[in-house]
Amino acid sequence: MLYIIIALFIWASSFTAGKYAYTMFDPALATQLRFFIAMMIVLPFFLKTRKSIDKSLTKKLWGISFLMFPIGILMQFMGLSYTSASSAVVVIGTEPILVLIVGFLVFGQKVAWFDWLLSLVALIGIILLVLGSQNDGAVDLFGLLLVFIAGAGFALSIHASKAVMSQMDNKIYTAAILVKGSLLALPFSLVLIKDWHIEFSWLGLFATIYLGVCCSWLAYKLWNLGLNKTPAHISGMLISLEPVLGVMIAFAFLGERMTDLTAFGSVLVIGAAMLSTIIPILKDKKAKQVN
């Protein structure tokens, strides 16, 4: 369980680290550098094992990589450049709900009534998040929209990756996604980079390296190690804490604050996301006890 908690803490800190990285690099440049750092870590292993990958999975891997990197992480961190880290991490907290909605819209999966209700609550929370920050400009609607679209891309990639991951070794899959995703993101990054000027700072450099090594590689490694040793219902409940940790880290390191209305909206979003994860786990556990 410790591995999972560390992984969640690292992911929760990524938006705060991103803000520091932007003090040195253009947002798109910082994100692409993050991709390349992670890619270089796994590249030797990928080159060694790529021939073992079933050719029938090649197109699917490219597709998943596209959803995760150009659509997911790159768009997510471009959105971060427009809005506060705390507001961005709150919207990322809707991902458990987005996974359910995407499953319903794209794959025809059944969605329980309480999930629709929680989705509505989360939407109201996001609206309050924006309305509560109109005066101080801390929250930007366009930035949140980019983060939300990125979350939808991640949700789609989660569904698409299930069948592929069942046919591949996890380490080979992770390496392939990192390499392919980094390459796919490059042309988009080159178009999005507005400023090639680098304002050197040790904090900005460390943050960029941290994003590449810890957030893009180490956290996934720890998460996978933790999943093998932690009951599914425990890991499911723990992951719902990520946005809470993210907001706390943004408050502690960036000095960000929320108005009462913004805070209430954030509570609605995070609460809805947590319940969407916890309720199915509790129902499944109860059903097993009955049987």
Side-chain angles (χ1 to χ4, degrees):
M1 189 168 65
L2 180 61
Y3 290 140
I4 288 180
I5 293 173
I6 295 174
L8 290 174
F9 183 85
I10 292 173
W11 281 329
S13 68
S14 63
F15 280 175
T16 296
K19 286 292 187 181
Y20 284 123
Y22 297 166
T23 63
M24 181 173 176
F25 300 106
D26 175 274
L29 178 57
T31 306
Q32 188 61 49
L33 288 172
R34 164 191 180 174
F35 293 159
F36 279 152
I37 291 170
M39 183 182 75
M40 295 309 297
I41 294 173
V42 301
L43 186 59
F45 180 75
F46 171 74
L47 294 175
K48 182 180 178 181
T49 59
R50 63 187 178 89
K51 292 184 178 180
S52 66
I53 300 175
D54 192 323
K55 291 183 179 180
S56 65
L57 300 177
T58 301
K59 290 183 179 180
K60 293 180 181 179
L61 284 171
W62 282 110
I64 294 168
S65 300
F66 178 76
L67 290 171
M68 290 185 67
F69 284 75
I71 301 298
I73 301 176
L74 180 58
M75 188 174 293
Q76 184 184 98
F77 275 77
M78 290 304 296
L80 174 65
S81 67
Y82 291 96
T83 191
S84 65
S86 54
S87 65
V89 79
V90 167
V91 174
I92 283 299
T94 63
E95 283 186 3
I97 296 175
L98 286 174
V99 170
L100 295 172
I101 295 176
V102 168
F104 172 78
L105 294 175
V106 180
F107 300 96
Q109 296 179 354
K110 185 178 179 181
V111 176
W113 65 267
F114 59 82
D115 287 318
W116 289 117
L117 178 60
L118 292 173
S119 299
L120 178 60
V121 171
L123 177 60
I124 294 172
I126 292 174
I127 293 173
L128 294 178
L129 187 65
V130 176
L131 293 177
S133 299
Q134 283 185 328
N135 294 329
D136 58 19
V139 176
D140 181 85
L141 181 58
F142 178 66
L144 293 185
L145 180 61
L146 290 180
V147 175
F148 186 81
I149 294 173
F154 268 124
L156 186 56
S157 72
I158 289 173
H159 286 284
S161 64
K162 286 183 178 180
V164 176
M165 292 181 70
S166 64
Q167 302 177 59
M168 292 180 62
D169 177 80
N170 186 269
K171 291 182 179 179
I172 297 176
Y173 170 82
T174 302
I177 293 297
L178 283 173
V179 172
K180 293 176 185 292
S182 299
L183 295 176
L184 285 171
L186 180 58
F188 294 92
S189 297
L190 293 175
V191 171
L192 291 171
I193 293 173
K194 298 178 181 178
D195 185 5
W196 287 90
H197 175 71
I198 298 175
E199 190 69 36
F200 181 80
S201 71
W202 286 108
L203 188 58
L205 180 62
F206 173 78
T208 305
I209 295 173
Y210 175 81
L211 285 169
V213 175
C214 297
C215 298
S216 299
W217 173 72
L218 179 61
Y220 286 101
K221 186 178 179 66
L222 292 173
W223 175 259
N224 291 330
L225 286 172
L227 282 182
N228 291 330
K229 300 180 180 180
T230 305
H233 70 281
I234 297 296
S235 59
M237 290 182 181
L238 287 174
I239 199 171
S240 64
L241 296 176
E242 182 183 349
V244 179
L245 292 171
V247 170
M248 292 173 62
I249 292 170
F251 282 5
F253 289 91
L254 298 175
E256 295 184 355
R257 292 295 180 266
M258 293 183 177
T259 64
D260 292 341
L261 188 58
T262 300
F264 181 62
S266 300
V267 169
L268 289 181
V269 175
I270 294 173
M274 292 178 70
L275 287 174
S276 71
T277 302
I278 294 173
I279 290 176
I281 293 173
L282 294 178
K283 289 182 67 177
D284 183 61
K285 188 176 181 180
K286 185 178 180 180
K288 289 181 178 179
Q289 290 177 343
V290 173
N291 295 331

